[in-house]
Amino acid sequence: MADSKHLSQRPNLRAHRGRRRESRRKSSIFEEKTIDIVSPGHLVGATNHVFCMGRRFATAYQCLERSAITRHWKSVSGKRLTPRKKGSPPRRQGPSKEDLTMSLELCTDDLPPTDSLEALEKASKRIRKICTFLQSRGNVPSNLLKRNLHYIADVLDIVVTDDARRFIDEDDELSEVEPDAVPMEVRDWLASTFTRSASVTKSGEKEKKTFRSIVQAVRAANLVDRLYRRMSTSAVTYPPTVMKLFKQLDDWSFDVFALNEATNGQALRYVTYEIMMRYDLLAKFKIGVGTLFNFLEALEVGYSKYQNPYHNLVHGADVTQTMHSILFQTGLVQWLTDVEIFAVVFSAAIHDFEHTGETNNFHVMSRTETALVYNDRAVQENHHISAAFRLMTDDNLNIVYNMSKDDYKDFRTLVIDMVLATDMSYHFAQVKQMKSLLSCPDNIDKAKALSLVLHTADISHPAKNWILHEHWTELLMEEFFRQGDKEQELGLPFSPLCDRKTTMVASSQIGFIDFIVQPSFEIMSDMLDKVVAPISPRGSLANQSNATISEKVEGEGSPQNGDQSEEPFEFKVDRVWDGHLTGNKVKWKELSTKDQAEKEAREKAAQKEKADSEAQTQNTPDDKAEDKKDRESSPKITANGTVSPGDAVKPSTSPENDEQASTKEEAVGKASPEHVEKRSTEGEKKGSIDSITVKSVTKRKESGV
């Protein structure tokens, strides 16, 4: 009865539920009607309803996802999932998680075309995935493995075909360039210069209007870009005299004065451009020739701003060429990256940009605006860097426009370190630091090593031939003397080597070479030996010879008496500067000896003249007294014309008077020589003090250069 009653009431229950759904639909938020008063029961029911619907949607989404994965697995594995027969053993419900992961990662549906640029990278990654699955699982489904291997083989075939065509068929690389890619005259020039045909298109064939692959498109674009750069650089022609001088650009004692005369005062731009072309920096960093020449012209204007005798564009060109000679002749360039080579050339070119012709100490003592801006620390060097990089804020002068952010960061950091190291106040600290680094040659920092090389190149003219060194010395001393004149006008004490009257040039250069230049070259040479030896062919041969000698000694034992054992060969760079340093120092010593002799002769002549004048001044009163005595003792003419004898002509008959007279005569006779001797002694003493002062000043200046 209960069951029948329940069944009889079931239609009423369904009708009740239907009415409830209808009422909810009418009172939903989608209708324009609003409900002012909502009971708690309605809120609870609505919340439960939303929760149930969300759970149903989530369940449905999971079912759809499973069915999609199952269908994908059936398509890739080839298995048919038939319903299990009654009484058969239970089977696994669907593929495992590892199988699904492997099928998704090895799927070949979304791979790029085999002739595209990304295909080679995808093929490489796919091979690594297959190896990973074979190592972890031990097997890979045959259909997946077959599809992937076919794809990889197709990609490799295309790569091999392209490479073979690039080396065998010269015309293919140019014939596949689209007509609109480059101008027609460029195409004709490419064909006539780099191929054996007179035209890009072959006779009887239509010109292809599409690239066969993206790989060929990239290759052709790079080729055209290089050729455009070659065409633009070919417009820069050198005069015959400049070409002749550039044949010696790698030499240590390059005559930069002759180059400046041949280029009408444009040595810096020609030297910098030629060196950058030799290192292929324009092509590697996509620097336009016009932009580079605009920048170099602005550099020359800045170097000529103050009309300095020494720190001008010729000095900038000389230091740039010296850095190139060190890099090239020693093999140091093999140790550097392209960014570092660019930074080295750039630092040498700008290292004295807008130099005022005075020292940093002068700026600090005179309280110039530059010293106030840079807080008395490396005043000139900070200005060189800041002003040079400020030039490149102009797009027409920005030669680092196409450099990547990481390369520019490394480039700027290295330039700042190198140019700041040219401050002479850091000299001894820099040499001491490099000596400590050489104790562990494997840990030599590139920035510190290159900074030392630039600092040495900046003071390298004493290590050049005598003609160049003497000319540079005259220009430098004139610039120092001009600073001394300014210091005298401002009431400041003379800086070392800045007084025109007391500076001994030869002695100062000897001290400069002994204490500054020669130690710098010695420590730089030792550093180059450590750095270049592992990368130089001569260094590798030296290591091999050392090993051979050691093996020979170990195999044969100690040499017998009378046999000379071979000494192991130690690699050293060619130190061409040592001979010039020694020869120049010998010449300065000869000049110093001559100058010292002339100075002593001048001092003696001045002392003698001074002593004679003082002696003459002291003898003048005695002479006047004698003249007065003679006038008194001379005969006098009276009024009547008679002559009366004076008192002095009367003979003295008293022995006391005779004794007093003789004593007075002796005193008078001895007074003058003693006085003269005393005065001469005082003059010699004063002259010796002046000589000691000059020598001490000279010594102090020599040690402070």
Side-chain angles (χ1 to χ4, degrees), residues 309 473-483 485 500:
T473 302
E474 293 175 356
L475 297 175
L476 180 60
M477 298 311 298
E478 176 59 27
E479 188 168 299
F480 282 168
F481 293 155
R482 290 185 183 182
Q483 177 178 327
D485 297 341
R500 294 180 182 271

Side-chain angles (χ1 to χ4, degrees), residues 361-650:
N361 186 57
F362 176 83
H363 283 275
V364 174
M365 296 298 294
S366 58
R367 301 177 183 179
T368 62
E369 182 66 23
T370 310
L372 295 176
V373 170
Y374 299 108
N375 299 320
D376 299 346
R377 301 292 178 87
V379 177
Q380 295 268 42
E381 289 73 23
N382 275 300
H383 178 73
H384 303 330
I385 302 168
S386 177
F389 275 95
R390 193 178 294 113
L391 286 179
M392 293 188 292
T393 57
D394 186 356
D395 293 339
N396 296 325
L397 308 177
N398 191 2
I399 61 176
V400 296
Y401 178 78
N402 293 316
M403 188 179 290
S404 64
K405 292 183 179 180
D406 294 337
D407 289 345
Y408 177 76
K409 181 179 179 181
D410 298 337
F411 171 82
R412 177 171 166 80
T413 302
L414 185 56
V415 169
I416 292 173
D417 292 341
M418 292 180 66
V419 177
L420 287 180
T422 60
D423 184 3
M424 296 300 171
S425 62
Y426 298 151
H427 168 77
F428 293 103
Q430 194 173 5
V431 171
K432 183 178 180 181
Q433 189 178 33
M434 183 54 63
K435 286 182 179 179
S436 63
L437 289 176
L438 289 179
S439 60
C440 299
D442 296 336
N443 298 324
I444 295 179
D445 183 65
K446 280 188 176 182
K448 292 181 174 58
L450 295 176
S451 299
L452 176 64
V453 174
L454 180 60
H455 169 59
T456 308
D458 191 21
I459 58 175
S460 64
H461 68 84
K464 304 291 182 68
N465 62 43
W466 172 253
I467 297 176
L468 295 176
H469 171 45
E470 186 181 23
H471 194 180
W472 282 121
T473 302
E474 293 175 356
L475 297 175
L476 180 60
M477 298 311 298
E478 176 59 27
E479 188 168 299
F480 282 168
F481 293 155
R482 290 185 183 182
Q483 177 178 327
D485 297 341
K486 293 180 182 179
E487 290 172 340
Q488 189 174 13
E489 293 176 0
L490 296 174
L492 299 174
F494 285 110
S495 298
L497 302 180
C498 293
D499 190 355
R500 294 180 182 271
K501 299 178 180 179
T502 60
T503 299
M504 301 294 293
V505 178
S507 301
S508 66
Q509 288 301 308
I510 294 173
F512 183 51
I513 293 174
D514 286 338
F515 297 104
I516 302 297
V517 180
Q518 196 162 8
S520 298
F521 273 93
E522 288 177 356
I523 193 66
M524 185 192 72
S525 301
D526 295 340
M527 182 270 295
L528 292 175
D529 292 340
K530 301 293 185 181
V531 170
V532 180
I535 60 178
S536 175
R538 291 185 297 167
S540 61
L541 292 176
N543 295 332
Q544 293 177 6
S545 63
N546 291 340
T548 305
I549 293 172
S550 61
E551 292 175 359
K552 184 177 179 180
V553 171
E554 291 177 359
E556 297 180 358
S558 60
Q560 298 179 359
N561 296 332
D563 296 338
Q564 294 181 356
S565 60
E566 298 181 1
E567 296 181 357
F569 175 76
E570 184 179 1
F571 174 80
K572 289 185 177 296
V573 297
D574 188 10
R575 308 188 181 194
V576 295
W577 42 79
D578 287 346
H580 294 298
L581 281 171
T582 304
N584 293 338
K585 190 162 62 172
V586 170
K587 292 185 178 181
W588 282 123
K589 287 182 178 179
E590 295 175 356
L591 293 177
S592 177
T593 303
K594 185 186 296 185
D595 294 343
Q596 191 68 24
E598 294 177 356
K599 181 181 177 181
E600 291 177 358
R602 289 194 302 268
E603 289 178 353
K604 288 181 180 179
Q607 291 175 5
K608 184 177 181 181
E609 183 179 358
K610 186 176 181 180
D612 293 341
S613 62
E614 290 178 354
Q616 186 177 1
T617 304
Q618 294 295 331
N619 292 334
T620 300
D622 297 336
D623 295 338
K624 290 181 179 180
E626 291 179 359
D627 293 340
K628 184 177 180 181
K629 184 178 181 181
D630 293 338
R631 285 195 302 270
E632 292 176 353
S633 62
S634 62
K636 297 180 180 180
I637 299 175
T638 60
N640 55 8
T642 61
V643 178
S644 62
D647 298 334
V649 298
K650 293 180 180 180

Side-chain angles (χ1 to χ4, degrees), residues 224-254:
V224 172
D225 187 40
R226 290 196 301 269
L227 295 174
Y228 264 127
R229 288 196 294 268
R230 290 178 185 175
M231 289 178 61
S232 60
T233 56
S234 63
V236 180
T237 57
Y238 297 143
T241 54
V242 176
M243 290 290 295
K244 184 178 180 181
L245 290 170
F246 274 163
K247 292 180 180 179
Q248 304 172 355
L249 187 64
D250 302 335
D251 296 345
W252 175 249
S253 293
F254 178 75

Side-chain angles (χ1 to χ4, degrees), residues 290-301:
T291 305
L292 177 60
F293 269 91
N294 291 338
F295 176 76
L296 295 177
E297 183 179 358
L299 275 186
E300 290 181 341
V301 172

Side-chain angles (χ1 to χ4, degrees), residues 182-208:
V182 294
M184 183 57 65
E185 57 268 20
V186 178
R187 293 169 56 85
D188 295 338
W189 181 75
L190 293 178
S192 62
T193 306
F194 296 96
T195 63
R196 289 189 295 267
S197 62
S199 178
V200 177
T201 58
K202 297 180 181 180
S203 59
E205 293 182 0
K206 294 183 179 180
E207 183 175 349
K208 299 180 181 180

